[in-house]
Amino acid sequence: MDNIYIEYIFEVTPKEPATEILIAELGEIGFESFVENENGVTAYIQKNDWKENLLDAVFILKSAAFSISFQHNEIAQTNWNAEWEKNFNQIQVDDLVSIRAPFHVNPNLKYDIVIEPKMSFGTGHHETTHMMVQHLLNLDVANKKVLDMGCGTGILAIFAEMKGANPIDAIDIDAWCYENSLENVQRNNCKNITVYEGDSSLLMDKKYDIIIANINRNILLSDMNIYTNCLNENGVLLLSGFYKEDISIIDAAVSKHGLTLNKTINRNNWVALQYQK
């Protein structure tokens, strides 16, 4: 793959919730991958999809409530792995789970997930990944049919298999996510995960015991009806990818389908919600 990408480096003040809104708007106009950092976010779009006035339609850039500056340049995909090695930190959850790259030292916890960090890691929300792993740690997933929607690198699908889930579907619309998930499934010797490239249209007539969706808030709201329809009776829906301030709008969208909020985890103003049908 030798596509050329345009890299935009955004500095955002105050960072929250402006960064989340910015990512959502950029995603709607063709940006594919995002890396959050302490100053804001770096975003990537294929050069073939780029035009000079691309950002004119991004509303938050015109908002007086935030100060957002940016610069852009071309970057080859072949440089991206080096960028990830600089930005990707090992994640440890409750002294039980490690999520690390091959270049990290194995801390020898109960569960060890090894992923190759590439641009398909999506927004790099370590907080949301951390919380979703915490939810899965406390759930009985043995022999449960699981969906990891917006799977990114496949971390959560891989962890679900480690805990005994079977079968597992992992879906992402991004080609890099799809390819990277396939690589990581193989890297972790998983046998029960099927990876698909696509969106929620792939879920027609499918049913799951547990649905994991760690995605942008707007996509969650758009696809909520599909997720709830795909959930078996007494099934569990895990949602993350949004801030504490978004709980009310997410809860309203889920509750109208008859699901009950059972557990909320907070981490650095991010949240992960657990619902039961």
Side-chain angles (χ1 to χ4, degrees):
M1 300 175 66
D2 56 359
N3 292 345
I4 300 298
Y5 276 67
I6 304 296
E7 174 189 68
Y8 275 80
I9 301 171
F10 293 91
E11 292 194 4
V12 184
T13 306
K15 187 180 173 186
E16 299 174 0
T19 301
E20 185 202 15
I21 299 170
L22 178 61
I23 288 172
E25 289 200 71
L26 294 176
E28 291 174 357
I29 60 173
F31 282 80
E32 295 182 0
S33 298
F34 308 91
V35 184
E36 285 200 64
N37 54 62
E38 61 183 16
N39 297 318
V41 63
T42 302
Y44 298 87
I45 184 170
Q46 287 197 39
K47 187 175 181 179
N48 291 339
D49 297 328
W50 179 83
K51 54 187 178 181
E52 191 68 41
N53 62 345
L54 182 72
L55 299 186
D56 288 356
V58 179
F59 177 78
I60 194 171
L61 295 178
K62 305 168 187 174
S63 172
F66 309 104
S67 173
I68 303 177
S69 61
F70 61 87
Q71 56 182 308
H72 69 276
N73 57 277
E74 287 190 7
I75 181 170
Q77 279 189 346
T78 51
N79 295 332
W80 287 8
N81 285 355
E83 291 299 310
W84 275 112
E85 289 198 13
K86 290 190 294 185
N87 289 288
F88 180 69
N89 297 316
Q90 182 174 171
I91 304 166
Q92 294 187 16
V93 183
D94 297 349
D95 295 323
L96 291 170
V97 185
S98 57
I99 302 168
R100 63 184 180 88
F103 51 81
H104 291 135
V105 175
N106 185 351
N108 296 311
L109 302 184
K110 183 176 181 179
Y111 301 100
D112 182 43
I113 303 169
V114 180
I115 66 165
E116 185 66 48
K118 293 185 178 179
M119 289 311 299
S120 58
F121 195 71
T123 58
H125 291 164
H126 292 181
E127 292 90 345
T128 60
T129 302
H130 189 286
M131 293 183 294
M132 291 298 240
V133 169
Q134 285 182 306
H135 276 304
L136 288 170
L137 269 172
N138 294 310
L139 284 174
D140 177 12
V141 304
N143 299 312
K144 299 289 179 67
K145 187 173 183 181
V146 172
L147 167 66
D148 182 3
M149 193 69 196
C151 58
T153 53
I155 288 173
L156 298 175
I158 291 165
F159 183 51
E161 174 161 333
M162 288 180 174
K163 287 205 67 195
N166 182 27
I168 303 159
D169 288 342
I171 299 175
D172 206 293
I173 196 169
D174 183 86
W176 276 76
C177 294
Y178 169 72
E179 293 177 13
N180 199 201
S181 290
L182 287 173
E183 294 170 1
N184 291 324
V185 164
Q186 184 176 18
R187 182 182 297 275
N188 289 274
N189 300 311
C190 295
K191 309 299 182 186
N192 304 319
I193 300 172
T194 304
V195 183
Y196 299 93
E197 181 180 351
D199 57 19
S200 59
S201 63
L202 295 175
L203 301 178
M204 187 175 296
D205 300 324
K206 293 204 171 189
K207 290 288 186 179
Y208 300 93
D209 301 306
I210 299 172
I211 294 178
I212 304 163
N214 184 9
I215 315 178
N216 171 269
R217 185 196 72 173
N218 292 341
I219 298 174
L220 289 177
L221 293 172
S222 175
D223 290 342
M224 194 66 69
N225 184 59
I226 297 173
Y227 301 151
T228 55
N229 285 338
C230 289
L231 196 61
N232 285 327
E233 199 63 34
N234 297 316
V236 172
L237 176 63
L238 300 177
L239 302 175
S240 194
F242 49 90
Y243 291 113
K244 185 166 58 176
E245 290 81 3
D246 299 315
I247 291 178
S248 59
I249 189 171
I250 294 289
D251 188 60
V254 181
S255 298
K256 70 180 183 182
H257 295 286
L259 278 69
T260 302
L261 179 59
N262 283 347
K263 187 175 181 180
T264 301
I265 299 177
N266 297 275
R267 187 175 175 85
N268 296 330
N269 206 46
W270 294 93
V271 292
L273 308 180
Q274 177 181 314
Y275 286 89
Q276 180 117 25
K277 191 169 184 179

